[in-house]
Amino acid sequence: MGVMKAVYNISPRPLRTLYANAYGLNNLVRRRRWEALLREIAPTERMDRDRQVERVEAGLKAIIRHAVANVPFYAPYAKLAADLDTRGAYRVLAELPVVDKDVINREPQAFLARDRGRCVVSRTSGTTGTPFYVHVDRRSFLLGDALWWRRTLWAGYRPADWIARLVGDPIVPLEEPNPDRPWLISLPERRIYLSTFHLNPDTARAIGGLLRRRRPAYIMGYPSSLGILCSFLKDTDFRMDWDLRNVLFSSEPMHAHQEQVIREVLGAEIRGLYGSGEKVISAAQCEAGNYHLSMVDGYLEGQFGILPDIAPAAVTTLTNLAMPLIRYQIGDVIGTRPHETCPCGRTLPMISPVITKHEDDIITPSGRRISSSAVVWAFIHQEISDIRKAQVIQDDERHVRVLLNADEGTYLKYRDLLERSMRKVFFDEIEVDVVRTDHIEVTQAGKSRFIINKLKTGN
Ligand SMILES: [Zn+2]
């Protein structure tokens, strides 16, 4: 991957387009596999509740049995697992310990199954910059991707539709600060890959022109990036003159100010997706506006009203045998709605929209806006470990401080690397100081924010 990315970054544009199209062809093959999987699980969308409860219980039993037999951390619970048939999986589950990223990071090997076969190692940031690695077996990874794709199918996708996407695809190297065309187009899968990293008034104008020419049926992206793009477009002569079916977002919650500018500029229905890099649970917003859990990937305590909700939410995988996360606190507070029904007709359990903290953008002197997800990207694409917490603070137009809660040795090891990667994401317009600290301020909600921009009013 590292080598591929390096090759990609030094390649001229036509070659990059070729890569994108090859990647697109590969995606078409994967899409066929996703759709086969989705046909298999389609009956679960409208299954009656008793059968859903049974189905999930069978999955929980299998995961718990597998964990006590193959995962060192769960070996001491073998006796408890012996009661699964007599006491039922929900009750046994409730007696297993709750774990979170910190607990697992203390002894990550103890959470890996023996004989786990080929895995995808998914790296997530935990929003505070602390890296966390999850080993996901191939089937769970494929299912996770398929469920993300299902959201687009629910939104009425047809094979001839174009989709523009504005997420973390590093499609234009950061060495190219002001590309005329901050995108790549993949013909086989009819995708427009837009660069999240290069958003400024000029690139936004160019993107607006491209969107009007290509007329995508969907625009998907991070809420922060979509919000930035739309706030720039608002000041141009950009007008919606085609039928944009939906704006699709994921990876972050959408905040009111983002939703407002997106609706104003793009004027389409907005649909969200809640998912996680850990591939434990996911939920997609249906045409009635409600979030339905996928149910087949993982179990959220409280989803059926059998076990109570806990906060932060505890989730258990139903599929990932490589590193079975059990009662894993994913870091978000998720409200369950076990007794409500949805007018869309799907019986999949519902949750309230997931609310997490709001992160600021970084604004450079030339007027670029770097979204929180782009900053996180710069962070987690370094091989960084042993950092307890991190925070990025923009003090004024030209200065950003990166606070690292880490010991002296770790700090010295990563300081220069982080300074370089952060400057690069800010296109060398901002001075970056990486500072060691033992204390990172926590907000009233009990969470520390990752990015604080003191330039903006209200901070
Ligand atoms: Zn629904």
Side-chain angles (χ1 to χ4, degrees), residues 29-45:
V29 174
R30 296 196 323 144
R31 194 185 292 174
R32 242 169 263 142
R33 298 179 62 198
W34 297 340
E35 287 173 358
L37 252 180
L38 292 176
R39 276 193 294 278
E40 240 174 75
I41 60 168
T44 61
E45 284 185 38

Side-chain angles (χ1 to χ4, degrees), residues 96-346:
L96 289 169
V98 171
V99 299
D100 61 15
K101 290 184 180 73
D102 291 338
V103 170
I104 296 170
N105 270 344
R106 256 176 254 144
E107 43 171 351
Q109 293 299 322
F111 287 86
L112 293 178
R114 286 182 284 270
D115 306 323
R116 56 190 175 275
R118 284 181 70 202
C119 289
V120 179
V121 181
S122 169
R123 179 185 185 133
T124 69
S125 78
T127 68
T128 50
T130 327
F132 180 67
Y133 299 90
V134 184
H135 296 243
V136 182
D137 62 44
R138 312 291 284 192
R139 193 189 139 82
S140 302
F141 200 82
L142 189 74
L143 177 67
D145 284 348
L147 291 169
W148 280 51
W149 178 240
R150 184 166 74 177
R151 183 263 307 253
T152 314
L153 299 179
W154 283 7
Y157 171 84
R158 294 187 290 264
D161 292 334
W162 277 83
I163 300 178
R165 47 185 273 154
L166 184 62
V167 291
D169 304 309
I171 40 157
V172 180
L174 297 174
E175 284 77 8
E176 220 176 294
N178 281 306
D180 297 334
R181 290 171 294 171
W183 59 73
L184 281 180
I185 290 172
S186 164
L187 293 170
E189 50 167 356
R190 302 172 88 83
R191 290 283 173 106
I192 302 163
Y193 293 85
L194 304 169
S195 179
T196 288
F197 304 95
H198 292 80
L199 291 174
N200 65 33
D202 296 331
T203 55
R205 185 170 286 116
I207 288 171
L210 175 77
L211 293 176
R212 289 181 68 175
R213 289 195 300 281
R214 289 276 172 179
R215 310 164 77 87
Y218 302 92
I219 299 179
M220 62 164 71
Y222 301 138
S224 54
S225 306
L226 293 167
I228 292 170
L229 174 65
C230 289
S231 63
F232 284 135
L233 286 177
K234 207 178 125 177
D235 297 331
T236 67
D237 58 358
F238 177 83
R239 292 293 169 270
M240 281 300 304
D241 51 9
W242 76 97
D243 177 28
L244 178 66
R245 221 168 292 145
N246 281 133
V247 173
L248 306 173
F249 71 91
S250 56
S251 304
E252 304 162 2
M254 183 171 284
H255 296 282
H257 67 282
Q258 294 162 340
E259 184 174 337
Q260 196 185 347
V261 70
I262 292 167
R263 274 190 202 285
E264 189 184 332
V265 172
L266 299 176
E269 277 301 304
I270 302 176
R271 298 243 187 111
L273 181 119
Y274 174 74
S276 64
E278 295 93 330
K279 304 272 185 205
V280 202
I281 61 160
S282 54
Q285 207 172 8
C286 71
E287 58 273 24
N290 290 315
Y291 280 86
H292 292 276
L293 287 168
S294 302
M295 197 183 70
V296 293
D297 49 357
Y299 168 69
L300 165 70
E301 289 181 29
Q303 72 179 33
F304 293 136
I306 297 174
L307 294 185
D309 288 22
I310 62 171
V315 297
T316 298
T317 180
L318 296 174
T319 66
N320 187 16
L321 300 179
M323 183 173 171
L325 294 173
I326 296 175
R327 306 201 77 200
Y328 166 68
Q329 289 196 299
I330 203 161
D332 294 316
V333 173
I334 306 177
T336 58
R337 302 165 64 185
H339 307 297
E340 292 175 55
T341 52
C342 183
C344 80
R346 295 181 186 88

